[in-house]
Amino acid sequence: MPFRHLLPFILFVVVAAALGVGLTLKPKDIPSALIDQPIPEFQLPPLEGKDNGLESDHLRTGDVHVVNVFASWCLPCKAEHPFLMELAKSGKAKLSGINYKDKPKNIAKWLDDLGDPFGRIGADHDGRVSIDWGVYGVPETFIVDGAGRIRMKYLGPLNNSDRTEAFLECLDTISNGGDAC
Amino acid sequence: MLNATKMPALGIALLLALMLPRIVGAVAVDPPLEDPTLEARAQALFLDLRCLVCQNQSISDSNADLARDLRAIVRERIAAGDSDEEARNFLVDRYGDWVLLQPPVKKETWILWFGPLALLGFAGGLGVGLYRRREAKEAAAQPLDADEKEQLKSLMDDADDA
């Protein structure tokens, strides 16, 4: 072999490349098992004093929905709230909320103070419906297409980062009847 | 003042106290199933399931809110007559294979499971190959035949003359 002496160097490059790729992975971002799956069957009651609870049928109306799992005790939720208000105003998608393990008084005050971007909010008192959605922390945000399939899951706050750009692009794609995100 | 004869007893008591959290484990926090066989099955399953919010801990070890909820779900499934497999799949359907502390053997995980073995085989093969080649080289060193001896002799004589 003429390039024999290069072998250790080539091996080094291969290993370095593999480790380099490994560095870019985010082990904390767990891929959702529910991508391209139909949304779970659920029925959540409205928040106290309201009448717009959330159930599966509300998310199969032909419109693209953004479903946000949030809580008043969650600080990142507060950080992303202006973004959600903006998104609701833009009319790009219908927003629905799943309020995760919250106290009625706290969430009422939270929405009064910060505004309510959601068309519907389901109160998930024991967190079971959120587990059916594969949620393991708040906030998490899903893009649901008109047929009621989950097309994207976004972990953490939506706050104008590069990932948020990707989220908005995906939303556009799905809204335009596109398939891949 | 402590009596010297009481010291060993005190030591044992302290040891037991320190061991208490291990013995009692998750059972202290949540209501166990009434049937001890079912509860034992649930407990065994807890050890296989990842607490998603605390990396690389099982839900058996964790006091996280979500881990508690997942334990309650596993107990419910077991009590409702699910097999271990079915109870496990209930969570895999929601959280993917990540929820299992031991990744299942399938196409996507072949590299994970068999990669190290393949690498070991490759390195072993390489080692054996190199060894064989050296052996062959050594074996090739045979004594000179008559012609060669003659040639060598004449070469040496030439060298002496010079």
Side-chain angles (χ1 to χ4, degrees):
Chain A
M1 271 194 297
F3 296 114
R4 225 176 129 157
H5 58 286
L6 279 180
L7 216 64
F9 177 68
I10 293 168
L11 211 65
F12 166 76
V13 170
V14 169
V15 170
L19 294 178
V21 170
L23 276 180
T24 66
L25 301 176
K26 294 202 184 82
K28 277 198 162 173
D29 286 357
I30 304 165
S32 174
L34 294 169
I35 298 299
D36 292 337
Q37 301 290 315
I39 53 169
E41 296 301 318
F42 71 98
Q43 264 184 314
L44 286 175
L47 296 175
E48 222 172 73
K50 307 234 178 179
D51 55 5
N52 55 347
L54 185 66
E55 53 189 84
S56 318
D57 284 343
H58 295 138
L59 301 174
R60 286 192 281 247
T61 54
D63 296 315
V64 175
H65 281 88
V66 167
V67 179
N68 180 246
V69 187
F70 72 106
S72 70
W73 45 261
C74 137
L75 276 178
C77 300
K78 198 167 182 175
E80 76 171 355
H81 201 77
F83 178 91
L84 292 177
M85 294 298 287
E86 203 61 38
L87 187 63
K89 221 192 290 172
S90 76
K92 280 181 182 163
K94 295 196 164 177
L95 265 69
S96 301
I98 294 178
N99 184 222
Y100 182 77
K101 292 191 178 179
D102 221 328
K103 292 207 170 75
K105 213 169 70 188
N106 296 350
I107 189 60
K109 181 172 175 352
W110 202 75
L111 290 171
D112 278 349
D113 289 351
L114 301 173
D116 182 354
F118 302 110
R120 294 183 165 276
I121 301 178
D124 191 12
H125 292 300
D126 59 7
R128 285 305 180 84
V129 168
S130 296
I131 287 177
D132 286 341
W133 281 76
V135 169
Y136 65 91
V138 276
E140 280 186 20
T141 309
F142 298 85
I143 297 177
V144 178
D145 68 14
R149 265 181 314 156
I150 296 175
R151 304 307 295 274
M152 190 200 195
K153 173 177 173 173
Y154 184 96
L155 298 165
L158 286 155
N159 50 2
N160 298 315
S161 64
D162 291 352
R163 286 171 61 229
T164 313
E165 283 301 313
F167 172 86
L168 287 173
E169 270 170 36
C170 177
L171 187 55
D172 276 345
T173 311
I174 300 301
S175 300
N176 295 326
D179 217 35
C181 258
Chain B
M1 195 61 198
L2 270 173
N3 186 333
T5 55
K6 280 186 185 155
M7 283 303 275
L10 192 72
I12 289 167
L14 189 67
L15 198 67
L16 282 175
L18 287 172
M19 278 163 65
L20 203 60
R22 279 306 323 166
I23 299 166
V24 180
V27 192
V29 199
D30 354 297
L33 294 172
E34 276 178 29
D35 183 336
T37 17
L38 292 184
E39 176 65 14
R41 274 177 55 207
Q43 292 276 344
L45 273 174
F46 295 164
L47 292 171
D48 290 345
L49 295 165
R50 187 189 305 273
C51 162
L52 295 136
V53 287
C54 28
Q55 293 212 341
N56 294 329
Q57 230 184 348
S58 76
I59 59 171
S60 171
D61 292 335
S62 173
N63 267 325
D65 212 33
L66 186 66
R68 207 175 310 149
D69 289 350
L70 295 184
R71 284 197 297 268
I73 285 176
V74 170
R75 283 202 175 92
E76 275 172 29
R77 308 300 317 172
I78 293 291
D82 270 17
S83 70
D84 289 1
E85 193 61 29
E86 284 163 343
R88 214 179 282 135
N89 283 342
F90 182 87
L91 289 179
V92 170
D93 286 346
R94 283 155 182 74
Y95 291 106
D97 290 336
W98 176 249
V99 79
L100 303 173
L101 279 170
Q102 176 162 316
V105 180
K106 58 185 195 182
K107 222 199 250 156
E108 290 85 355
T109 59
W110 278 355
I111 290 187
L112 179 70
W113 280 99
F114 306 118
L117 268 179
L119 217 60
L120 198 70
F122 173 73
L126 207 70
V128 169
L130 285 175
Y131 181 73
R132 285 237 176 99
R133 215 159 67 176
R134 213 166 70 184
E135 287 256 285
K137 234 186 219 163
E138 275 165 13
Q142 285 161 3
L144 302 176
D145 61 23
D147 276 358
E148 286 166 334
K149 270 182 188 157
E150 193 63 34
Q151 212 179 346
L152 179 66
K153 191 164 179 290
S154 76
L155 277 172
M156 298 293 273
D157 290 346
D158 284 355
D160 284 346
D161 291 346

